[in-house]
Amino acid sequence: MQHTQAMLSSHPQPAAVDPQALAHCVQACFDCAQACTSCADACLAEENVTQLIRCIRLNLDCADVCDVTGRLTSRQTAVDTVVLRRQLEACVAACQVCGAECELHAQHMEHCRVCADACRNCEEACNALLTTLSA
Amino acid sequence: MQHTQAMLSSHPQPAAVDPQALAHCVQACFDCAQACTSCADACLAEENVTQLIRCIRLNLDCADVCDVTGRLTSRQTAVDTVVLRRQLEACVAACQVCGAECELHAQHMEHCRVCADACRNCEEACNALLTTLSA
Amino acid sequence: MQHTQAMLSSHPQPAAVDPQALAHCVQACFDCAQACTSCADACLAEENVTQLIRCIRLNLDCADVCDVTGRLTSRQTAVDTVVLRRQLEACVAACQVCGAECELHAQHMEHCRVCADACRNCEEACNALLTTLSA
Amino acid sequence: MQHTQAMLSSHPQPAAVDPQALAHCVQACFDCAQACTSCADACLAEENVTQLIRCIRLNLDCADVCDVTGRLTSRQTAVDTVVLRRQLEACVAACQVCGAECELHAQHMEHCRVCADACRNCEEACNALLTTLSA
């Protein structure tokens, strides 16, 4: 995400939310969307795929939810904080549940270990942005 | 959405949520995602585009949020009701705010009038599904 | 997609492409995106999931490609026909390959049979729109 | 995209495509999807928005196309090279057209200058991956 910081800071209007927390959140969302897309795909190629059905489903959901949260947080024009807050809360829930499931398989599958870390990172970034919205 | 009902009812496992409410919600989400994508685009082509900035932004958000909610509700394997509920709540918020903004322009712009109706329809379908989840 | 026709026809500028072919394509894309999302999810819940790995992967791709093609075709402002054509060609390829794979399982799994039909329908609608672009 | 490299390399099967070119492409796609989402939003907040209508529309398309290309390239299970190639070609077209439009505004708007760079970077990464597929 080499261009994200420069994109966010070149917006013509003053930021409605904390710029640092915003940039972290945008980057964490896209990073987690990619990680969950990869993890669903890697699980699908594992020999014990039948034990990973719930993990794949949660990965697909988390990828979709993080992706859309990354889009919403990327937009700084006419911010509606209610919509932003609800989507961030949905993203926190998706990352928590998906991260916890990946954690269960982390010892045996490297992709689940890495993905759990991406989920935790995104959950924290969303929560940090939520805190600045409440202030 | 001519194949949606048949797709949802051919899932190998018994439905975790009310099938009727689910089918309505899936269809309303994709319908609203399309309507909001069209409305943002139509607003962009209006002569008074400068008065429609907030409408365009909310349309883009609502299109994204409805799209991902349509994906999550389409999935019936290993449903996590917390994630589903949070995403439905985010979708209700997006549809409420976007629908209210479109309503403001409904008298002068047919696309905003139609889009406001799609938002209301989606908000109701999400709320109806949320009610069955709480039961 | 009860609002799609009204949304497309309320655009303030004259259509750059054939309105009938456009409306069919938009609706077929979102319908197929939903069908493929459902089919990937239903395959994941099947006992013989290990024989459906390729089907799931192609369903995920086709859902994503149809979704974005539905978004692009929904936009009538400042149409760039090169981008539109390339994305429609990608959608035709995704629908062909996914539909052919689903067809292989159609006799034993109703969701694959229905999904193959949604893919064929979308492939035809994209090809029909491509034909009008070449004219 | 701090987890992307680790996710791609932890896939249980040997890579079907060049791992270096793949990782570059995945990262460039998500980076460009974010940049174009930001650029559409920043253009919308500019005083001369009426001169940026085509830029906004192309940004929205390019964001959507890059996002889905990033998803497809993230998947290494049961790769279908025809679908992958067509989607990469669509992404090259979207990045070329959007980057050229942003370039026109680069002197006066920093977000268009940065976004043009993200588009060029993504176009190159997609072309580099296409070259390895042809080999």
Side-chain angles (χ1 to χ4, degrees):
Chain A
M1 306 290 282
Q2 58 193 104
H3 296 89
T4 302
Q5 189 72 62
M7 287 307 304
L8 294 175
S9 61
S10 59
H11 193 278
Q13 291 169 349
V17 296
D18 180 77
Q20 197 76 8
L22 188 70
H24 278 153
C25 187
V26 170
Q27 292 174 313
C29 283
F30 282 101
D31 177 63
C32 194
Q34 195 286 320
C36 288
T37 301
S38 273
C39 195
D41 176 73
C43 286
L44 207 55
E46 292 286 355
E47 280 187 27
N48 63 334
V49 60
T50 52
Q51 286 149 53
L52 298 168
I53 303 301
R54 186 168 187 264
C55 195
I56 294 172
R57 194 256 146 95
L58 294 174
N59 272 320
L60 294 176
D61 282 6
C62 198
D64 289 341
V65 172
C66 288
D67 189 65
V68 76
T69 309
R71 284 167 167 251
L72 260 68
T73 47
S74 291
R75 298 184 186 124
Q76 299 178 272
T77 303
V79 174
D80 183 282
T81 49
V82 175
V83 176
L84 183 56
R85 193 188 306 267
R86 286 292 169 279
Q87 188 56 47
L88 285 166
E89 288 167 351
C91 200
V92 166
C95 289
Q96 272 178 342
V97 174
C98 184
E101 177 69 30
C102 281
E103 194 63 46
L104 297 176
H105 314 288
Q107 276 200 310
H108 303 99
M109 281 171 289
E110 176 69 1
H111 51 82
C112 284
R113 194 191 63 73
V114 177
C115 191
D117 193 61
C119 288
R120 242 187 327 262
N121 184 50
C122 188
E123 181 191 339
E124 285 170 13
C126 288
N127 271 325
L129 186 55
L130 275 167
T131 305
T132 71
L133 293 180
S134 309
Chain B
M1 308 290 279
Q2 58 193 105
H3 296 87
T4 302
Q5 190 71 63
M7 287 307 305
L8 293 175
S9 62
S10 60
H11 193 280
Q13 291 168 349
V17 296
D18 180 78
Q20 198 76 6
L22 187 71
H24 278 153
C25 188
V26 169
Q27 291 174 312
C29 282
F30 282 101
D31 177 64
C32 193
Q34 195 285 321
C36 287
T37 301
S38 273
C39 195
D41 176 72
C43 286
L44 207 55
E46 291 286 355
E47 280 188 26
N48 64 334
V49 61
T50 53
Q51 288 150 52
L52 297 168
I53 303 302
R54 185 167 188 267
C55 195
I56 294 171
R57 193 256 145 95
L58 293 175
N59 272 320
L60 294 176
D61 282 7
C62 197
D64 288 343
V65 171
C66 288
D67 189 65
V68 74
T69 309
R71 284 167 167 251
L72 261 69
T73 46
S74 291
R75 297 184 187 124
Q76 298 178 271
T77 304
V79 174
D80 183 283
T81 50
V82 175
V83 175
L84 182 57
R85 193 188 307 266
R86 287 290 169 279
Q87 188 56 46
L88 285 167
E89 287 167 351
C91 198
V92 166
C95 289
Q96 272 178 341
V97 174
C98 184
E101 177 69 30
C102 282
E103 194 63 46
L104 296 177
H105 314 289
Q107 276 200 310
H108 304 97
M109 280 171 290
E110 176 69 0
H111 50 82
C112 284
R113 193 190 64 72
V114 177
C115 191
D117 192 61
C119 289
R120 240 186 330 260
N121 183 51
C122 188
E123 181 191 338
E124 285 170 13
C126 288
N127 272 324
L129 186 55
L130 275 167
T131 305
T132 70
L133 293 179
S134 308
Chain C
M1 305 291 280
Q2 59 193 103
H3 296 87
T4 302
Q5 189 72 63
M7 287 307 303
L8 294 175
S9 63
S10 60
H11 193 280
Q13 292 167 350
V17 296
D18 180 76
Q20 198 75 7
L22 187 71
H24 278 154
C25 188
V26 169
Q27 291 174 313
C29 283
F30 282 102
D31 176 63
C32 194
Q34 195 286 319
C36 288
T37 301
S38 273
C39 195
D41 175 72
C43 286
L44 207 55
E46 292 285 355
E47 279 187 27
N48 63 333
V49 61
T50 52
Q51 287 151 52
L52 298 168
I53 303 302
R54 186 166 187 265
C55 194
I56 295 172
R57 193 256 145 95
L58 293 175
N59 272 319
L60 294 176
D61 282 7
C62 197
D64 288 342
V65 172
C66 288
D67 189 65
V68 76
T69 309
R71 284 167 166 251
L72 260 68
T73 47
S74 291
R75 297 183 187 125
Q76 299 178 271
T77 303
V79 174
D80 183 282
T81 48
V82 175
V83 175
L84 183 58
R85 194 187 306 265
R86 287 291 170 279
Q87 189 56 46
L88 285 167
E89 288 167 351
C91 199
V92 167
C95 289
Q96 272 178 342
V97 174
C98 184
E101 177 69 30
C102 282
E103 194 63 46
L104 297 177
H105 314 289
Q107 277 200 309
H108 303 97
M109 280 171 288
E110 177 69 0
H111 51 82
C112 284
R113 193 191 64 73
V114 177
C115 191
D117 192 60
C119 288
R120 242 186 329 261
N121 183 50
C122 188
E123 181 192 339
E124 284 170 13
C126 288
N127 271 325
L129 186 56
L130 275 167
T131 305
T132 72
L133 293 179
S134 309
Chain D
M1 307 289 281
Q2 57 192 106
H3 295 88
T4 302
Q5 189 72 64
M7 287 307 305
L8 294 175
S9 62
S10 59
H11 193 279
Q13 291 168 348
V17 296
D18 181 77
Q20 198 74 9
L22 187 71
H24 278 154
C25 187
V26 170
Q27 291 174 313
C29 282
F30 282 102
D31 177 63
C32 194
Q34 196 286 319
C36 288
T37 301
S38 273
C39 195
D41 176 73
C43 286
L44 206 55
E46 292 287 354
E47 280 187 26
N48 64 334
V49 61
T50 52
Q51 287 150 53
L52 298 168
I53 303 302
R54 186 168 187 265
C55 194
I56 294 171
R57 193 255 146 95
L58 293 175
N59 272 319
L60 294 176
D61 282 7
C62 198
D64 289 341
V65 173
C66 288
D67 189 65
V68 76
T69 310
R71 284 168 167 250
L72 260 68
T73 47
S74 291
R75 298 185 186 124
Q76 300 178 271
T77 304
V79 174
D80 182 282
T81 48
V82 175
V83 175
L84 183 57
R85 194 188 305 267
R86 287 293 169 277
Q87 188 54 47
L88 285 167
E89 287 167 352
C91 199
V92 166
C95 289
Q96 272 178 341
V97 174
C98 184
E101 177 69 30
C102 281
E103 194 63 46
L104 296 177
H105 315 288
Q107 276 199 311
H108 304 99
M109 281 171 288
E110 177 68 0
H111 51 82
C112 284
R113 194 191 63 72
V114 177
C115 191
D117 193 60
C119 288
R120 241 185 329 261
N121 183 51
C122 187
E123 181 192 338
E124 284 170 14
C126 289
N127 271 325
L129 186 55
L130 275 167
T131 306
T132 71
L133 293 180
S134 309

